[in-house]
Amino acid sequence: MAKVRVFSLAKELGLQTDALLAALARLGVENVTKASAIDEETAATVRELIAEQAAKAKAEAEAAAAAAEAPPAPVEVEQPAVAEPEEAAPVVETPATTAAAPAAGRGRARGDERERKEEDEGRLPGGPPRLTQGMMRLEEHLAALQERLGPQAEEEAGGLVRALPDIARRTRGNRPPNAVDVPPVVTVMGHIDHGKTTLLDALRNTQVAAGEAGGITQHIGASEISRDGRTIVFLDTPGHAAFTAMRARGAQVTDIAVIVVAADDGVMPQTVEAINHAKAAEVPIVVALNKMDLPGANPDRVKQQLLEHGLVPEEWGGDTIVVPISALTGEGMDDLVDNLNILAEVQELWADPEADLAAVVVEAQLDSSQGPVATVLVRNGTLSVGDCVVCGTAHGRVRRLRDWRGKSIKSVPAGHPAEVVGLSAVPDSGEVMVRVASPKEARALAEQNAQELRERELSGTETAALRGLYEAIQGGTVKELNVIIKADAWGSAQALESSLLGLNELFDEVRINVIHTGVGHISESDVLLALASKAIIVGFQVEADAMVRQAAANERVEIRTYQVIYEALEDFQAAAAGLLEPIVETRDLGDAEVLQVFRISRIGAVAGCRVTAGELRPNADIVVTRDGEEIYRGKITSLRRFDNDVSVVEAPSECGLASGDFRGWRPGDRIHATMQVTVERKLQTQSQR
Ligand code: GDP
């Protein structure tokens, strides 16, 4: 059956898309977004109802005007609502899991639930309302509809892009008169060898004019594709790692993620990662089903696999646009570009070319002849040669600008990428570039940024943690706990996921969200995702190697690994109940007796001892007694055996030890050593009781 997209229908009817979505919800059509396609029959019903209401509202307005009473409310004509449906009103069946924009979708679904409840309370007795009754209750709905059209609805609609950092965020809200439409920014992600690079090359080469054969070889880090007067910006570094690394720094520039899946290979681990990284960023997803030219291509199998990961293809009643293509032969490429344009149109992206400059660094490197070179995407304002700019701790005057084809330009308008030469240092990707009035101001701001960076590094960033969860809940700072699950096998990953989600039944104050479930060891990409999404990583029968642990420690990302599911569940329960605060315990280490005392000019006094029980370790706390009386308390500051520093000496070995500048040792003194250890608190389980 023919389908029509929600936003196209809204446009046709002169309605705001949110109003139409609300109206559709009343018709029982749920789990749809602006980009969803609804069947023609539903669209026809909506058109009819709108026409009837408009006519009715108009008649009433005229009658009211004639009666010279209050002036007619124009909104009734301009923004008609849809009345209660007949029982037989067509319903589009959509599976419960639509995932292109999870948060926005959820928000809306909750809102609709509330609205439905309110409606139900006011429902006329005597069975389901007939169309005419619904029409009579039009006025009642108008007020509610009007409310939804207010700022709150605007905010909900902005849910897809709300996560952007303040300055480089896509501008929402009232569009100033001088605003211009800007192209969407698209990132290509997917499993290795599924054709990301080939796709980007193919897209770029559609722009090559005849005679320029050989393709565009100079990449600045972003490309622009224009068709039918509409432009799309593609980021040239494919993959979700770069995407999430930028997001982890607070900059998200991607408006649409294209997930490339080879039709002959299907959904692979990195495909799942890419899907989950895009979902965590609330970026709409388009699936490019690549390599359709190969005999082994099996699109239905891939769609089935996508379904398992929460992406329901449109043709199966869902929201995910799946476009079969061959990056090699060019098949389906136009269709892909058309669909990207449709999704972009839904997002109504605009920027203000006269606003203060805000540009985001996409990538940057040091060039041996030109110095630091950065590719930036201008989000707002206009960047021109000669501008004094600051970009994190780098600053300078823009000496040269190049467009995506490498052509020198004088200025870059909002929405477009360019290569910038003239900075004092190589900025990090994700850094935001701003303009200042003078080189002096640029230096001062760069120094201030450097100072803030140092302070941030010292104080640490706000990250999620299981430990401390209770306090955070009490303090009202945590409502949701994002979790990334990595396990040794799919079965166990899913078992852990459903067990953790099952805890939500028990928790009142905190909600566990699993934002990514994957198989394999914990990787740096998981750490990045955790950082970007303020999540903790739970490993089940998998480990993180030393480099990953170090990266996690640097970024203060919490990794917890378990061998048994119930231990993970206990920890989560304990954390929510405030029982997971670590306990610091004093543990007995060992005893020693001083045999001989050496005076060494550099160190002071060294006690030559025999360990009589247990062991001694550097940094251990010691109590020294003589004839049963305590004569000294301190720490072991040096522990040696045969002139070598050692980390432990066990009974009955001999060793030399020093404690700060304590010099009062005597042969025969007794030493008792203890150590402070931090113990993770464990709950007693039923099986242990
Ligand atoms: P990436 O790792 O995702 O960037 O994958 P590449 O773009 O490097 O492609 C991997 C391999 O798949 C290369 O040998 C490409 O030539 C091949 N390839 C990419 N797209 C297609 C396609 O549509 N059809 C066929 N037959 N091969 C393709």
Side-chain angles (χ1 to χ4, degrees), residues 190-199 238 260 290-294 325-329:
H191 197 71
I192 185 157
D193 280 348
H194 278 197
K196 299 179 291 294
T197 315
T198 314
L199 172 60
V260 179
N290 193 29
K291 305 200 186 183
M292 286 298 289
D293 57 298
L294 292 179
I325 62 161
S326 165
L328 214 58
T329 67

Side-chain angles (χ1 to χ4, degrees), residues 23-192:
L24 284 167
R26 285 170 199 287
L27 281 170
V29 184
E30 289 175 331
N31 290 321
V32 286
T33 67
K34 292 176 176 187
S36 301
I38 56 173
D39 62 53
E40 190 48 56
E41 202 183 324
T42 310
T45 312
V46 173
R47 282 191 196 101
E48 253 171 54
L49 288 170
I50 299 285
E52 276 182 51
Q53 286 165 31
K56 180 172 177 273
K58 190 163 173 253
E60 280 179 5
E62 278 167 7
E69 285 183 13
V75 66
E76 294 182 7
V77 181
E78 286 168 20
Q79 301 288 356
V82 175
E84 285 292 340
E86 257 191 318
E87 200 179 9
V91 169
V92 171
E93 300 262 323
T94 50
T97 45
T98 52
R106 268 202 306 275
R108 184 167 297 124
R110 271 202 295 273
D112 289 345
E113 226 169 76
R114 198 179 53 236
E115 287 151 26
R116 265 201 310 282
K117 189 157 171 273
E118 283 164 12
E119 272 173 48
D120 287 344
E121 280 160 5
R123 185 158 280 166
L124 298 171
R130 311 293 306 163
L131 184 61
T132 44
Q133 289 172 332
M135 294 298 290
M136 282 164 62
R137 289 175 53 226
L138 174 62
E139 265 74 6
E140 289 171 31
H141 293 313
L142 272 176
L145 178 63
Q146 204 43 37
E147 238 172 59
R148 275 195 305 281
L149 293 175
Q152 191 197 338
E154 187 63 29
E155 207 183 65
E156 269 191 20
L160 288 177
V161 287
R162 229 177 311 150
L164 294 182
D166 289 346
I167 190 162
R169 183 193 293 258
R170 282 281 191 211
T171 324
R172 311 293 302 181
N174 287 338
R175 191 180 155 127
N178 54 339
V180 291
D181 289 336
V182 292
V185 179
V186 175
T187 297
V188 175
M189 312 182 193
H191 197 71
I192 185 157

Side-chain angles (χ1 to χ4, degrees), residues 199-369:
L199 172 60
L200 281 167
D201 284 345
L203 286 164
R204 253 193 307 267
N205 290 333
T206 58
Q207 303 298 294
V208 180
E212 258 188 282
I216 293 165
T217 46
Q218 176 158 13
H219 299 183
I220 68 159
S223 330
E224 293 186 17
I225 313 299
S226 292
R227 216 156 66 90
D228 303 334
R230 292 198 287 192
T231 302
I232 300 172
V233 173
F234 284 90
L235 296 188
D236 280 349
T237 314
H240 53 275
F243 167 83
T244 300
M246 276 184 80
R247 200 160 77 82
R249 290 205 191 88
Q252 179 177 295
V253 294
T254 301
D255 299 306
I256 303 169
V258 170
I259 301 208
V260 179
V261 189
D264 63 328
D265 201 21
V267 169
M268 300 297 280
Q270 286 169 29
T271 320
V272 178
E273 278 194 20
I275 293 171
N276 290 337
H277 281 229
K279 278 193 202 169
E282 298 180 9
V283 170
I285 292 170
V286 171
V287 176
L289 212 50
N290 193 29
K291 305 200 186 183
M292 286 298 289
D293 57 298
L294 292 179
N298 187 347
D300 277 345
R301 190 183 66 129
V302 181
K303 284 181 199 164
Q304 187 62 45
Q305 293 171 328
L306 290 171
L307 202 63
E308 286 162 21
H309 293 283
L311 296 184
V312 187
E314 272 193 329
E315 51 275 39
W316 291 2
D319 254 351
T320 305
I321 301 173
V322 180
V323 191
I325 62 161
S326 165
L328 214 58
T329 67
E331 174 199 339
M333 299 289 275
D334 287 351
D335 198 16
L336 177 63
V337 171
D338 283 345
N339 274 293
L340 293 175
N341 276 326
I342 286 172
L343 264 186
E345 197 171 322
V346 174
Q347 295 187 44
E348 293 162 16
L349 306 168
W350 59 266
D352 181 354
E354 286 161 35
D356 288 342
L357 174 74
V360 181
V361 176
V362 174
E363 59 176 59
Q365 66 275 327
L366 194 60
D367 182 281
S368 54
S369 57

Side-chain angles (χ1 to χ4, degrees), residues 1 44 119 223 246 345 437 506 512 580 597:
M1 185 185 292
E119 272 173 48
S223 330
M246 276 184 80
E345 197 171 322
L506 307 175
I512 296 173
L580 211 62
V597 181

